[in-house]
Amino acid sequence: METLTIQLQAPQPARGRRAMAIVGVVGSGDLEVLAERVLAAEECHLEISTAIAGFGPVWQAVARDFVERRSPGGVRFSINDGGARPDIVAIRLAQAARLIEEDQPCT
Amino acid sequence: MAEWQQNRARRDRRIEAGIKLAEGKIVAAGDATRLLEAVIQPGDRVCLEGDNQKQADLLSAALLAADPARLNTLHMVQSGVVLPAHLDLFERGIAKRLDYAYSGPQSARIAAMLFGGKIELGAVHTYLELFARYFIDLTPHVALIAAVSADRDGNLYTGPNTEDTPTVVEATAFKDGIVIAQVGEIVDHVPRVDIPGDRVHFVVDAGRPFFVEPLFTRDPALITETQILTAMLAIKGIYAPYGVRRLNHGIGFSTAAIELLLPTFGERLGLKGKIATHFALNPHPALIPAIEAGWVEQIHSFGSEVGMDGYIRARPDIYFTGSDGSLRSNRAFSQVAGLYACDMFIGSTLQIDLAGNSSTVTTSRVAGFGGAPNMGSDARGRRHPSEPWLKAGADADPVSPAPLRRGRKLVVQIGETFGEKNAPQFVERLDAIELADRLKLDLAPVMIYGDDVTHIVTEEGIANLLLCRSPAEREQAIRGVAGYTDVGLARDRKAVEGLRARGVICRPEDLGIDPLDADRSLLAARSIKDLVHWSGGLYDPPSRFRNW
Amino acid sequence: MTLADLLASLFPSGHDIHVDKGVLVGSARLPDGSDALVLGVTDHAPIGVDEAIVLAKAVMDSIDRGTGPILVLVDSGSQRMSKRDELLGLNEYLSHLAKALILADLKGRPTIGILYGHSAAGAFLATALATRVLVAIPGAEPAVMDLPSMSRVTKLPIEVLEEKAKSTAVFAPGLDNLAKTGAVYAVWGDRTSLDRQLGALLAAMPDTVDRRGALGKERGGRTLAADIAARVRHAGLSGARD
Amino acid sequence: MHVSRAESGGDPVGSRPAGAGPRSWYEASARQRLDLLLDPGSFAEFLAPPDRVVSPHLALFDLPHQFDDGIAVGRGRLGGRDVLVAAQEGRFMGGAFGEVHGAKLTGLVKAARDLASTPVLILFDTGGVRLQEANAGELAIAEIMRAVIEARAAGVPVVGLIGGRAGCYGGGGLIAACCSALVISEQGRIAVSGPEVIETNRGVEEFDSRDRALVWRTMGGKHRRLIGAAGTFVDDAVAAFRAAAIECIGENGAIDAAVLAAEQERLDTRVQRFGTMEDGLDIWAALGIPDPKSVPGMPAETFIPLADQFGVNGHDAR
């Protein structure tokens, strides 16, 4: 297992008030992303645990594009990776960002 | 005086040698090897019918059982090298030389045998090239073919999987060759005559159907969100603007996704009747929802597909059927249709290089070409116009006067930036080149040449190569949709943004597509069972695709 | 240990136990003079629907009638792996046997499993693991999963698995590992006769509370399960709404 | 401990386009099933992902863990009634039982036992015991089975819902058979030994695991409903599971010697009637179904009345 931490600056804080969101499953070729609003508003961290070592630069590139596009400031993304390809990683990150920015459901 | 009938005399001697084993034309399955030993001569060119689907499996086993002392150094000329027995013939020395087109399931072994010198290679062809050479310099002395049934006169019913048979028989029978057919049963009257009996010299009663592989069944349950996204991009970014109505689809999951998005995503875009109405295509089960929703007008097929016979029989307005009601397929004609009558080919590949050349070989596998290059190439002989063809031509050459400007076929490569086992789809150098080095081939096995490719679709966007004006632009256009592969990461970001501004590169957002909307619930069918429901219970999928 | 040796050592006062195709059913005289229902499996026999229904019937016939403990002697294979058994719903038959044993235990018929040979998977769950306490005779060799199968699934060589097994009791076969996880209440010694050890166990029989989580934690073979179950149970109880 | 509101969903739930049919249970993730099964917004998870209660054993095999170890447990409401609920995620490690995964379910059922009134729902999706922690998984299953019987002895309905990708295999099948009621869809499968296990141990002649039609008519949802192994058959739609689950939690889940005696008779009768038959088709024919071959292709709305008419009923004898 390899763990990676990527810390980036986000120009805008994530919208909404949800504390956390989770998407995806640690299945073959998939990953889970846990988003938690626990950081300072201009910070965005990705903590990655992956079974496939040696893809640091690719994770960096995916993370950079993701934060550039969605700017989810204040959110820490914790990732358990089951060997997902970068396109799936990008989709799950975007899904997690969208979900944590959704309004709280009425109960 | 010159002797002008030697071949006919030789053919008659062969028939005479075989006739002792036959009752009329009928030979018992147990005598098949003796028949082949009697009829075939060492060094003969033999077509052992191996198509990409149906297989003359009994005759290939019979040939393999022949005595190599009597039968050897044969020159096999067949489109498909698919069964293990096809290669065992070379191991045993019965066969020596090979000209073929497709070797999907045997791709690793054939590579090893080519490398080890067990096989003397003529050439790897496309289907149309091999069929063409049957009539020029690779005419079979003996054709071993497969049919569903025969009558006692040798009239053959090839059924839905007619495939290569008419072409093979035409070349063999009319040039004084011998045609031997294995059939599932002998009947009093065949349901329809696919091959007239006077072209068939012997019929071996196999007592069981020939082997057929379900090659074109894609389980919708396995289609991913990324494939759905690429399919959405293709429909909205290529099918719609060019108005593509006549086309061929490859067999990958992205094109299956396109088929399943027509009645949902396509419907919402108001494209029904405007795109995807006429196909050169096998009976893909994934196309059933689009057919049922009224999208498709007509389909001509290379072969059939396991489980589709009942559905096809009930939809003769869509498919080509015989007097018996079942599908009539014909690989040669459908390939010609794909080459000349279609405005678009869209399919997937394993590797694409910086010039857009693509290949499905790896260093240890030689899968052959099959028909993709016939479909996936610009037909330089084409003269009839159509809107998509003219528009693509104008994209490529805005300068020449319209009456003198060639059109272009749309040749689209669609796929995810990373494929199976996270292998990148985009590479600096094709593995095919290394393979060609190792095997000392004159040509690297390139499936689709870069100068034929017009568009590349990935989850990152569409690259329209018709709009590129230099090799450097072309390279950046390809890098610009290559995602996080090494090729993609090495892009010139500024150049790529420039190409995007010119519409050479189109991102999902440029087309108004949110990647997060690429959801499986968009698929008209999400399982094989859904396809069965769409078909009204007429589609009967093979057991291995079922979960009920 | 053979069944004959086991029965002789366990029940010196006599027993009436019949063995039919690996399935044993009967009764035995206990050290204190009372009778116990005895059932079980011998000779590594697999348990299929036919075996399970016979064993469950013995428990059901006795559940309201008798008063003594129920002893389950186990030297079984795995569940019977066959098309017929699955067609008939083997899971229900195995569960039915386990349910009968558990319910009998809850109704005051203490159940004791005695593992004296092999057992695995579904057969283990339906018999030995469905009792209030499970004791093992030295030499017992339970294997929830055998290493060759595990090697096939994990695609790791057996030697690698054996190496990994040294550091954790959580996956490897064998009595020691299983005892560490808390499945086995006690391993009987071979210096004292089995009837005396059985007598001692019956005299100090624990109540029906499932202690296996606590034992696993105490013995260091299953360190998390007890606490996690307790946390979830607590959350379930504390947040209760009307 | 972190007890959070449901903020879950494998992929965003809000983006379902129109005209795409009902939400499939089979396709949904464990969290999506919970979201759509329970009253909207009512799920509160115990040991939720932010608590990061993960398996410590997978790293030994260089396998990634998941923040919920493949099972989400908590409380929710179903038709206005308080329920305890567990959902297995069949795509993580095949939904298999490991130490943490199992202990979460053990604790949940024990809570139900002690509350003695709150029904339990178990959304099965499991291949059985997780090989990498086989001893812990097996033992967890034994503990869960005992807890389920204790809960039912205290009068608690324990309802199993089966229709996921991984089916309900191995020890999962044994727990399922301890439930007071089972709801199953066509995609659902219940068995102890899976097709590949039988084939590996006994050969392809005994069971051809690639013959999927055979798999389904041996252990699939329709067969299980017809022989009375599952009481309720539903279409593969979350809404259908919800309706059936609401009904089942209203039923009496108590177990006692009389219930077990009835089960003894039910199971005994099954072996007597069908024990010599080779194939599901033979059993369906023996049940009096006019055209057994048509059963696999039948849509749910046709199959349900057929099963009610010809199938083995006897809901409570379990």
Side-chain angles (χ1 to χ4, degrees):
Chain A
M1 299 297 298
E2 184 174 89
T3 55
L4 301 164
T5 302
I6 300 170
Q7 306 194 341
L8 297 164
Q9 297 290 307
Q12 303 289 325
R15 283 171 288 126
R17 282 170 293 113
R18 271 185 185 232
M20 75 98 167
I22 183 157
V23 299
V25 170
V26 190
S28 165
D30 208 337
L31 72 162
E32 76 172 339
V33 179
L34 171 64
E36 296 164 287
R37 206 186 289 268
V38 292
L39 303 176
E42 70 284 359
E43 295 282 310
C44 179
H45 297 178
L46 283 86
E47 291 178 358
I48 299 143
S49 167
T50 175
I52 302 183
F55 283 86
V58 177
W59 285 103
Q60 291 279 358
V62 174
R64 182 197 62 207
D65 287 354
F66 165 64
V67 174
E68 204 174 286
R69 263 174 220 174
R70 313 236 17 157
S71 187
V75 180
R76 178 179 69 195
F77 295 88
S78 304
I79 292 165
N80 290 316
D81 175 39
R85 303 180 313 197
D87 53 295
I88 300 293
V89 175
I91 286 179
R92 293 280 174 266
L93 283 170
Q95 286 172 339
R98 177 156 91 174
L99 196 57
I100 203 167
E101 291 186 337
E102 266 180 20
D103 289 331
Q104 200 74 261
C106 321
T107 49
Chain B
M1 197 173 138
E3 182 56 77
W4 292 105
Q5 298 186 3
Q6 294 185 57
N7 288 343
R8 184 161 301 168
R10 266 198 288 273
R11 179 198 64 189
D12 291 345
R13 282 199 298 278
R14 289 167 186 257
I15 293 174
E16 209 173 299
I19 207 90
K20 299 176 192 120
L21 294 160
E23 203 183 306
K25 288 182 175 178
I26 315 291
V27 176
D31 288 331
T33 297
R34 289 173 63 203
L35 175 72
L36 300 183
E37 285 176 345
V39 168
I40 305 174
Q41 301 290 315
D44 273 356
R45 274 190 302 275
V46 175
C47 173
L48 171 53
E49 187 168 23
D51 302 348
N52 73 346
Q53 289 182 281
K54 81 167 168 183
Q55 304 301 330
D57 51 345
L58 178 125
L59 292 176
S60 76
L63 184 59
L64 184 62
D67 179 358
R70 296 186 59 175
L71 270 193
N72 50 57
T73 60
L74 300 180
H75 179 181
M76 308 307 291
V77 289
Q78 65 199 60
S79 68
V81 178
V82 172
L83 300 176
H86 292 157
L87 291 175
D88 295 344
L89 288 172
F90 292 86
E91 299 275 8
R92 293 201 66 210
I94 292 172
K96 185 178 180 194
R97 192 172 168 80
L98 176 66
D99 279 277
Y100 78 107
Y102 165 77
S103 59
Q106 300 298 330
S107 58
R109 188 169 166 218
I110 202 169
M113 289 175 71
L114 286 169
F115 195 60
K118 283 261 168 57
I119 296 174
E120 192 179 286
L121 182 66
V124 189
H125 305 74
T126 67
Y127 287 132
L128 281 180
E129 290 171 88
L130 184 66
F131 296 161
R133 291 189 68 192
Y134 283 166
F135 296 93
I136 301 296
D137 65 338
L138 290 180
T139 308
H141 296 107
V142 179
L144 309 176
I145 63 171
V148 173
S149 58
D151 65 17
R152 296 194 172 276
D153 295 329
N155 291 306
L156 299 184
Y157 172 56
T158 49
N161 281 92
T162 295
E163 304 191 56
D164 302 9
T165 314
T167 312
V168 171
V169 171
E170 180 92 8
T172 309
F174 292 98
K175 198 68 186 67
D176 289 330
I178 301 281
V179 173
I180 301 174
Q182 78 168 66
V183 299
E185 56 177 344
I186 308 288
V187 295
D188 289 336
H189 300 284
V190 288
R192 73 176 187 228
V193 178
D194 286 299
I195 305 292
D198 63 358
R199 299 173 195 174
V200 178
H201 304 97
F202 296 100
V203 173
V204 177
D205 182 1
R208 57 166 175 80
F210 51 72
F211 174 79
V212 190
E213 177 77 9
L215 267 185
F216 300 94
T217 302
R218 290 288 168 264
D219 187 344
L222 303 178
I223 294 174
T224 64
E225 291 146 314
T226 308
Q227 286 157 351
I228 291 168
L229 176 58
T230 58
M232 292 164 77
L233 293 171
I235 290 172
K236 203 167 178 188
I238 302 176
Y239 287 61
Y242 288 96
V244 179
R245 297 187 58 185
R246 300 187 248 146
L247 71 165
N248 167 262
H249 274 184
I251 62 170
F253 280 99
S254 293
T255 40
I258 292 174
E259 289 157 20
L260 291 169
L261 287 183
L262 291 176
T264 55
F265 182 70
E267 191 87 31
R268 265 189 269 145
L269 295 175
L271 295 172
K272 187 168 162 184
K274 296 176 182 156
I275 63 166
T277 54
H278 296 75
F279 285 90
L281 193 73
N282 275 305
H284 288 190
L287 199 55
I288 290 173
I291 294 171
E292 294 301 304
W295 279 69
V296 180
E297 287 178 34
Q298 183 162 313
I299 300 170
H300 186 260
S301 299
F302 314 93
S304 189
E305 181 62 358
V306 181
M308 286 289 283
D309 294 345
Y311 180 74
I312 293 164
R313 196 176 272 277
R315 299 287 181 272
D317 285 356
I318 304 295
Y319 295 100
F320 285 72
T321 54
S323 54
D324 65 315
S326 77
L327 181 77
R328 164 75 179 200
S329 61
N330 186 312
R331 177 153 292 111
F333 286 150
S334 210
Q335 291 284 333
V336 171
L339 177 59
Y340 279 104
C342 287
D343 290 323
M344 177 165 97
F345 162 79
I346 179 166
S348 306
T349 189
L350 275 185
Q351 291 186 334
I352 300 178
D353 71 12
L354 297 177
N357 296 309
S358 69
S359 164
T360 56
V361 309
T362 62
T363 46
S364 60
R365 288 177 185 272
V366 184
F369 296 116
N374 297 144
M375 251 88 58
S377 64
D378 192 30
R380 304 281 286 175
R382 177 169 169 176
R383 292 295 179 271
H384 76 279
S386 69
E387 210 183 296
W389 188 74
L390 292 175
K391 179 171 161 49
D395 276 358
D397 173 13
V399 179
S400 299
L404 286 176
R405 184 166 61 204
R406 277 180 194 280
R408 280 288 295 268
K409 181 195 272 178
L410 296 164
V411 176
V412 182
Q413 295 283 8
I414 184 170
E416 301 144 274
T417 49
F418 288 87
E420 294 271 304
K421 295 180 183 158
N422 287 355
Q425 194 193 178
F426 295 90
V427 295
E428 301 269 343
R429 183 181 147 95
L430 298 176
D431 284 350
I433 296 171
E434 189 182 331
L435 184 85
D437 279 353
R438 285 177 55 191
L439 293 176
K440 302 186 171 53
L441 303 175
D442 296 327
L443 281 176
V446 169
M447 183 67 90
I448 302 206
Y449 285 111
D451 60 359
D452 277 326
V453 177
T454 63
H455 296 76
I456 297 174
V457 185
T458 72
E459 72 277 2
E460 206 187 359
I462 300 173
N464 183 343
L465 304 183
L466 292 168
L467 299 176
C468 295
R469 298 292 170 251
S470 69
E473 272 190 20
R474 197 178 173 81
E475 178 182 326
Q476 289 305 326
I478 291 169
R479 290 190 190 276
V481 295
Y484 297 102
T485 60
D486 289 344
V487 165
L489 292 172
R491 71 185 61 172
D492 174 343
R493 286 170 81 101
K494 209 173 139 204
V496 166
E497 277 317 304
L499 290 173
R500 186 177 167 194
R502 272 171 48 203
V504 176
I505 287 179
C506 223
R507 300 280 177 230
E509 52 266 41
D510 302 339
L511 289 166
I513 292 172
D514 182 347
L516 294 186
D517 288 339
D519 188 276
R520 281 183 44 80
S521 57
L522 275 180
L523 298 173
R526 280 167 283 171
S527 65
I528 294 279
K529 184 76 179 247
D530 286 351
L531 293 174
V532 175
H533 283 315
W534 271 104
S535 78
L538 291 166
Y539 172 43
D540 180 21
S543 184
R544 72 159 130 129
F545 287 104
R546 290 171 52 163
N547 56 0
W548 66 90
Chain C
M1 185 174 273
T2 67
L3 179 64
D5 290 345
L6 178 77
L7 294 179
S9 179
L10 264 180
F11 310 122
S13 314
H15 63 80
D16 180 20
I17 292 168
H18 304 275
V19 181
D20 183 19
K21 292 180 200 137
V23 173
L24 59 99
V25 176
S27 64
R29 182 65 39 91
L30 293 174
D32 69 353
S34 67
D35 283 339
L37 172 67
V38 180
L39 56 132
V41 189
T42 186
D43 295 331
H44 286 36
I47 305 185
V49 296
D50 303 308
E51 293 79 10
I53 198 86
V54 168
L55 291 167
K57 185 170 192 306
V59 181
M60 293 307 300
D61 286 349
S62 156
I63 202 166
D64 286 323
R65 272 176 241 163
T67 52
I70 298 173
L71 306 184
V72 186
L73 316 184
V74 180
D75 171 20
S76 79
S78 189
Q79 74 271 10
R80 176 171 288 118
M81 295 172 184
S82 82
K83 180 178 161 191
R84 172 177 176 269
D85 284 274
E86 293 302 343
L87 191 60
L88 291 170
L90 178 59
N91 68 310
E92 289 182 88
Y93 290 81
L94 295 178
S95 273
H96 179 63
L97 172 56
K99 283 148 93 172
L101 287 169
I102 294 167
L103 201 70
D105 191 51
L106 296 177
K107 287 175 69 75
R109 300 287 307 278
T111 52
I112 299 173
I114 300 175
L115 183 66
Y116 71 99
H118 183 264
S119 191
F124 199 24
L125 286 168
T127 57
L129 291 178
T131 56
R132 188 191 305 181
V133 297
L134 173 61
V135 295
I137 309 288
E141 39 171 5
V144 168
M145 291 290 160
D146 57 303
L147 285 185
S149 308
M150 215 176 283
S151 165
R152 238 188 351 261
V153 173
T154 59
K155 297 183 177 72
L156 293 171
I158 289 179
E159 307 79 66
V160 173
L161 290 173
E162 282 170 347
E163 191 56 37
K164 289 182 191 296
K166 287 180 189 161
S167 63
T168 174
V170 85
F171 76 89
L175 180 56
D176 286 352
N177 290 319
L178 215 61
K180 276 187 202 152
T181 58
V184 178
Y185 180 74
V187 179
W188 282 348
D190 44 14
R191 270 183 274 170
T192 318
S193 71
L194 295 181
D195 66 319
R196 292 188 45 196
Q197 298 187 71
L198 175 60
L201 175 63
L202 285 167
M205 194 67 178
D207 64 24
T208 59
V209 171
D210 193 337
R211 287 185 168 66
R212 291 174 287 193
L215 280 178
K217 184 181 175 188
E218 194 179 298
R219 295 173 185 168
R222 205 160 52 116
T223 52
L224 298 175
D227 290 345
I228 288 169
R231 285 168 72 188
V232 172
R233 179 174 159 272
H234 179 74
L237 292 175
S238 62
R241 295 183 283 222
D242 54 335
Chain D
M1 176 176 41
H2 191 104
V3 179
S4 78
R5 307 299 304 169
E7 304 180 68
S8 57
D11 45 53
V13 176
S15 63
R16 259 166 276 146
R23 187 73 194 198
S24 159
W25 183 270
Y26 182 82
E27 287 227 343
S29 69
R31 289 172 183 281
Q32 287 170 325
R33 287 174 194 155
L34 287 174
D35 275 346
L36 298 167
L37 176 76
L38 299 172
D39 296 351
S42 72
F43 180 59
E45 186 168 356
F46 309 150
L47 305 194
D51 289 327
R52 293 169 166 76
V53 182
V54 301
S55 168
H57 307 301
L58 296 174
L60 187 63
F61 293 86
D62 219 22
L63 292 168
H65 56 232
Q66 180 161 301
F67 289 130
D68 61 10
D69 202 35
I71 188 169
V73 300
R75 173 192 316 285
R77 281 180 184 265
L78 181 64
R81 189 167 173 195
D82 227 10
V83 292
L84 292 168
V85 60
Q88 295 182 298
E89 177 50 67
R91 287 175 297 170
F92 172 67
M93 300 296 298
F97 287 86
E99 179 174 1
V100 174
H101 181 118
K104 286 169 81 172
L105 184 51
T106 307
L108 188 82
V109 179
K110 282 184 172 175
R113 174 198 67 192
D114 297 347
L115 290 169
S117 60
T118 311
V120 182
L121 297 166
I122 305 175
L123 285 56
F124 289 100
D125 200 349
T126 183
V129 168
R130 190 183 294 171
L131 277 178
Q132 293 80 0
E133 21 191 317
N135 295 335
E138 174 99 344
L139 200 41
I141 287 162
E143 289 168 333
I144 294 160
M145 287 169 68
R146 190 172 179 102
V148 168
I149 301 307
E150 289 174 354
R152 290 187 56 196
V156 176
V158 181
V159 179
L161 310 179
I162 301 172
R165 291 162 189 268
C168 183
Y169 283 103
L174 269 71
I175 299 172
C178 291
C179 291
S180 57
L182 289 182
V183 180
I184 196 165
S185 65
E186 176 165 73
Q187 284 78 358
R189 285 137 291 150
I190 311 175
V192 189
S193 312
E196 290 80 11
V197 173
I198 303 176
E199 185 179 320
T200 305
N201 283 281
R202 298 282 303 277
V204 70
E205 306 75 27
E206 174 71 21
F207 204 100
D208 179 356
S209 65
R210 280 167 309 170
D211 183 345
R212 312 240 292 165
L214 171 70
V215 171
W216 256 266
R217 61 181 192 266
T218 305
M219 46 192 76
K222 282 179 173 164
H223 177 61
R224 290 299 181 227
R225 167 63 192 95
L226 287 173
I227 64 168
T232 308
F233 182 91
V234 295
D235 200 7
D236 173 41
V238 183
F241 272 96
R242 176 175 155 87
I246 289 174
E247 194 147 314
C248 287
I249 59 169
E251 289 166 3
N252 177 16
I255 194 166
D256 58 17
V259 169
L260 270 193
E263 180 169 78
Q264 178 82 23
E265 195 184 327
R266 181 172 69 85
L267 296 179
D268 209 12
T269 303
R270 190 189 293 165
V271 180
Q272 304 298 331
R273 273 184 89 181
F274 310 129
T276 58
M277 294 180 182
E278 293 278 316
D279 195 287
L281 289 170
D282 302 331
I283 293 178
W284 305 344
L287 285 167
I289 292 173
D291 180 13
K293 278 204 171 73
S294 69
V295 167
M298 229 173 243
E301 65 268 22
T302 316
F303 176 74
I304 291 167
L306 182 95
D308 289 344
Q309 186 184 352
F310 295 103
V312 177
N313 295 305
H315 266 323
D316 38 1
R318 66 178 74 247

